[in-house]
Amino acid sequence: MTSAPEWATAQQLQDDDALDVVRLDESRGLGVRTRRAFATGAVIHRFAGVVSGDICQHSLQIDATRHISGTRYIGYLSHGCDPNCRLDMVGFTLVALREVASGEVLTVDYADTEDRLHRQFACCCGAPACRGWIHGRREGPSEEGLAWLAERDAG
Ligand SMILES: [Zn+2]
């Protein structure tokens, strides 16, 4: 098992001039918006936080047993089924999957990192490939999710 980079457990979480945490709307809550453009493959942000075994609303999974919480930005990333970013949980970086414009809301696929979600939810990302109901990669849809999917497929 690799140990977390030094900045991952830094006590002082630095503000990043390139990012803002903003309230998107009622249903989506908080999100992260860029303040400048990034090229495909660019490291958008290096993150730090508290590493432990606990899953909470804004934690992200590092590996089979560890989660990072208390991060300045990445805990507020929105989910997208066709995301513009991905999280590198070895290097502790947020990387652009395509060109990202200034002012764009950053998205990651929660199922890329999370075995289980703190809370499953109906997705409204608008991607043609939207999966509809979002759950972790090692769990199926909850009862609520199964009911949601049945209703969607009946419609
Ligand atoms: Zn979606």
Side-chain angles (χ1 to χ4, degrees), residues 43-73:
V43 171
I44 294 176
H45 178 67
R46 292 181 187 278
F47 56 87
V50 178
V51 176
S52 77
D54 300 331
I55 299 175
C56 62
Q57 189 184 349
H58 298 293
S59 68
L60 289 149
Q61 187 170 344
I62 297 169
D63 57 27
T65 57
R66 297 184 305 163
H67 305 263
I68 187 166
S69 61
T71 58
R72 177 72 180 81
Y73 297 96

Side-chain angles (χ1 to χ4, degrees), residues 6-146:
E6 205 170 303
W7 65 81
T9 49
Q11 293 296 305
Q12 296 281 330
L13 299 185
Q14 298 290 323
D15 279 353
D16 188 327
D17 291 342
L19 301 178
D20 275 323
V21 175
V22 294
R23 180 162 290 282
L24 300 174
D25 56 41
E26 278 296 297
S27 62
R28 291 184 295 168
L30 297 176
V32 180
R33 201 186 285 280
T34 59
R35 301 179 71 169
R36 66 174 179 86
F38 290 92
T40 305
V43 171
I44 294 176
H45 178 67
R46 292 181 187 278
F47 56 87
V50 178
V51 176
S52 77
D54 300 331
I55 299 175
C56 62
Q57 189 184 349
H58 298 293
S59 68
L60 289 149
Q61 187 170 344
I62 297 169
D63 57 27
T65 57
R66 297 184 305 163
H67 305 263
I68 187 166
S69 61
T71 58
R72 177 72 180 81
Y73 297 96
I74 63 155
Y76 302 100
L77 289 168
S78 307
H79 167 83
C81 295
D82 181 19
N84 55 15
C85 296
R86 69 176 178 82
L87 286 161
D88 176 344
M89 286 303 191
V90 176
F92 281 50
T93 56
L94 177 66
V95 180
L97 285 174
R98 55 175 170 77
E99 279 186 35
V100 176
S102 180
E104 208 172 320
V105 173
L106 297 177
T107 55
V108 294
D109 187 339
Y110 288 179
D112 269 357
T113 53
E114 306 307 299
D115 288 348
R116 282 163 226 294
L117 293 189
H118 180 256
R119 187 176 60 82
Q120 299 186 6
F121 61 95
C123 186
C124 52
C125 75
C130 180
R131 299 195 296 276
W133 186 261
I134 307 306
H135 54 81
R137 62 188 165 184
R138 292 187 193 274
E139 66 182 355
S142 61
E143 244 172 72
E144 187 190 357
L146 291 171

